[in-house]
Short mmCIF file of all heavy atoms in Angstrom, two decimals:
data_model
loop_
_atom_site.label_atom_id
_atom_site.label_comp_id
_atom_site.label_asym_id
_atom_site.label_seq_id
_atom_site.Cartn_x
_atom_site.Cartn_y
_atom_site.Cartn_z
N GLY A 306 0.68 27.15 -29.77
CA GLY A 306 1.47 26.57 -30.83
C GLY A 306 1.73 25.10 -30.66
O GLY A 306 2.68 24.55 -31.17
N LYS A 307 0.85 24.45 -29.89
CA LYS A 307 0.97 23.02 -29.62
C LYS A 307 -0.45 22.39 -29.65
O LYS A 307 -1.40 23.07 -29.19
CB LYS A 307 1.57 22.73 -28.26
CG LYS A 307 3.03 22.89 -28.20
CD LYS A 307 3.58 22.50 -26.83
CE LYS A 307 5.02 22.85 -26.70
NZ LYS A 307 5.26 24.30 -26.56
N GLU A 308 -0.54 21.15 -30.10
CA GLU A 308 -1.79 20.44 -29.94
C GLU A 308 -2.14 20.25 -28.49
O GLU A 308 -1.24 20.03 -27.68
CB GLU A 308 -1.69 19.07 -30.63
CG GLU A 308 -1.57 19.15 -32.15
CD GLU A 308 -2.70 19.90 -32.83
OE1 GLU A 308 -3.85 19.81 -32.33
OE2 GLU A 308 -2.45 20.57 -33.86
N LEU A 309 -3.40 20.30 -28.12
CA LEU A 309 -3.83 20.04 -26.77
C LEU A 309 -3.93 18.50 -26.65
O LEU A 309 -4.58 17.90 -27.46
CB LEU A 309 -5.15 20.69 -26.46
CG LEU A 309 -5.28 22.17 -26.82
CD1 LEU A 309 -6.73 22.67 -26.59
CD2 LEU A 309 -4.28 23.03 -26.06
N ILE A 310 -3.26 17.94 -25.67
CA ILE A 310 -3.35 16.44 -25.48
C ILE A 310 -4.78 16.06 -25.11
O ILE A 310 -5.21 14.97 -25.41
CB ILE A 310 -2.29 15.88 -24.54
CG1 ILE A 310 -2.57 16.25 -23.10
CG2 ILE A 310 -0.87 16.18 -24.95
CD1 ILE A 310 -2.08 15.23 -22.12
N SER A 311 -5.46 16.94 -24.46
CA SER A 311 -6.87 16.71 -24.12
C SER A 311 -7.50 18.08 -23.80
O SER A 311 -6.81 19.00 -23.38
CB SER A 311 -6.95 15.79 -22.91
OG SER A 311 -8.30 15.41 -22.63
N PHE A 312 -8.80 18.19 -23.98
CA PHE A 312 -9.48 19.43 -23.58
C PHE A 312 -10.92 19.12 -23.13
O PHE A 312 -11.47 18.13 -23.50
CB PHE A 312 -9.46 20.46 -24.69
CG PHE A 312 -10.16 20.03 -25.94
CD1 PHE A 312 -11.49 20.29 -26.11
CD2 PHE A 312 -9.47 19.42 -26.97
CE1 PHE A 312 -12.16 19.90 -27.33
CE2 PHE A 312 -10.09 19.04 -28.15
CZ PHE A 312 -11.43 19.28 -28.33
N MET A 313 -11.44 19.99 -22.31
CA MET A 313 -12.77 19.83 -21.77
C MET A 313 -13.42 21.15 -21.48
O MET A 313 -12.82 22.08 -21.00
CB MET A 313 -12.68 19.03 -20.46
CG MET A 313 -14.06 18.85 -19.83
SD MET A 313 -14.06 18.69 -18.04
CE MET A 313 -13.32 20.19 -17.50
N GLY A 314 -14.72 21.24 -21.83
CA GLY A 314 -15.48 22.44 -21.51
C GLY A 314 -16.59 22.05 -20.52
O GLY A 314 -17.18 21.00 -20.66
N ILE A 315 -16.85 22.91 -19.58
CA ILE A 315 -17.93 22.67 -18.62
C ILE A 315 -18.69 24.00 -18.33
O ILE A 315 -18.02 25.00 -18.10
CB ILE A 315 -17.35 21.95 -17.37
CG1 ILE A 315 -18.55 21.51 -16.40
CG2 ILE A 315 -16.35 22.79 -16.60
CD1 ILE A 315 -18.11 20.46 -15.41
N CYS A 316 -19.99 23.94 -18.40
CA CYS A 316 -20.75 25.18 -18.22
C CYS A 316 -21.27 25.23 -16.74
O CYS A 316 -21.24 24.23 -15.99
CB CYS A 316 -21.87 25.26 -19.18
SG CYS A 316 -23.23 24.08 -18.90
N THR A 317 -21.79 26.36 -16.36
CA THR A 317 -22.23 26.60 -14.98
C THR A 317 -23.22 25.57 -14.49
O THR A 317 -23.10 25.07 -13.37
CB THR A 317 -22.85 28.01 -14.91
OG1 THR A 317 -21.93 28.97 -15.37
CG2 THR A 317 -23.23 28.42 -13.46
N LYS A 318 -24.18 25.22 -15.34
CA LYS A 318 -25.20 24.27 -15.00
C LYS A 318 -24.57 22.93 -14.63
O LYS A 318 -24.95 22.28 -13.62
CB LYS A 318 -26.17 24.12 -16.16
CG LYS A 318 -27.47 23.38 -15.83
CD LYS A 318 -28.51 23.69 -16.91
CE LYS A 318 -29.74 22.76 -16.75
NZ LYS A 318 -29.51 21.45 -17.44
N GLU A 319 -23.61 22.48 -15.44
CA GLU A 319 -22.92 21.22 -15.19
C GLU A 319 -22.03 21.30 -13.95
O GLU A 319 -21.92 20.33 -13.24
CB GLU A 319 -22.04 20.85 -16.44
CG GLU A 319 -22.89 20.58 -17.67
CD GLU A 319 -22.03 20.50 -18.93
OE1 GLU A 319 -21.09 21.27 -19.09
OE2 GLU A 319 -22.37 19.64 -19.75
N LEU A 320 -21.43 22.46 -13.72
CA LEU A 320 -20.60 22.69 -12.57
C LEU A 320 -21.37 22.52 -11.27
O LEU A 320 -20.84 22.14 -10.22
CB LEU A 320 -20.02 24.08 -12.60
CG LEU A 320 -18.67 24.26 -13.31
CD1 LEU A 320 -18.47 25.75 -13.66
CD2 LEU A 320 -17.57 23.76 -12.46
N ASN A 321 -22.67 22.86 -11.31
CA ASN A 321 -23.50 22.83 -10.14
C ASN A 321 -24.25 21.54 -9.96
O ASN A 321 -25.03 21.36 -9.03
CB ASN A 321 -24.47 23.99 -10.13
CG ASN A 321 -23.70 25.33 -9.97
OD1 ASN A 321 -22.64 25.35 -9.31
ND2 ASN A 321 -24.18 26.34 -10.62
N ASP A 322 -24.03 20.59 -10.84
CA ASP A 322 -24.68 19.30 -10.77
C ASP A 322 -23.58 18.25 -10.46
O ASP A 322 -22.81 17.89 -11.32
CB ASP A 322 -25.38 18.98 -12.12
CG ASP A 322 -26.10 17.62 -12.16
OD1 ASP A 322 -25.64 16.69 -11.41
OD2 ASP A 322 -27.14 17.52 -12.82
N ASP A 323 -23.57 17.82 -9.20
CA ASP A 323 -22.47 16.97 -8.72
C ASP A 323 -22.19 15.74 -9.60
O ASP A 323 -21.04 15.42 -9.88
CB ASP A 323 -22.70 16.47 -7.32
CG ASP A 323 -22.54 17.60 -6.27
OD1 ASP A 323 -22.09 18.69 -6.69
OD2 ASP A 323 -22.92 17.42 -5.10
N SER A 324 -23.25 15.07 -10.05
CA SER A 324 -23.01 13.82 -10.80
C SER A 324 -22.45 14.11 -12.21
O SER A 324 -21.53 13.43 -12.70
CB SER A 324 -24.23 12.95 -10.91
OG SER A 324 -25.28 13.63 -11.56
N VAL A 325 -22.98 15.19 -12.86
CA VAL A 325 -22.42 15.60 -14.16
C VAL A 325 -21.00 16.08 -13.95
O VAL A 325 -20.11 15.71 -14.78
CB VAL A 325 -23.31 16.73 -14.80
CG1 VAL A 325 -22.68 17.19 -16.10
CG2 VAL A 325 -24.71 16.23 -14.98
N PHE A 326 -20.76 16.88 -12.95
CA PHE A 326 -19.40 17.40 -12.67
C PHE A 326 -18.41 16.26 -12.54
O PHE A 326 -17.39 16.26 -13.21
CB PHE A 326 -19.45 18.24 -11.37
CG PHE A 326 -18.10 18.78 -10.97
CD1 PHE A 326 -17.68 20.00 -11.49
CD2 PHE A 326 -17.33 18.18 -10.03
CE1 PHE A 326 -16.44 20.55 -11.14
CE2 PHE A 326 -16.08 18.70 -9.66
CZ PHE A 326 -15.67 19.91 -10.23
#
Side-chain angles (χ1 to χ4, degrees):
K307 282 184 189 74
E308 293 302 327
L309 311 176
I310 68 151
S311 186
F312 61 89
M313 178 208 58
I315 185 162
C316 71
T317 305
K318 194 163 170 272
E319 295 169 321
L320 271 162
N321 294 326
D322 181 328
D323 287 352
S324 61
V325 177
F326 179 83

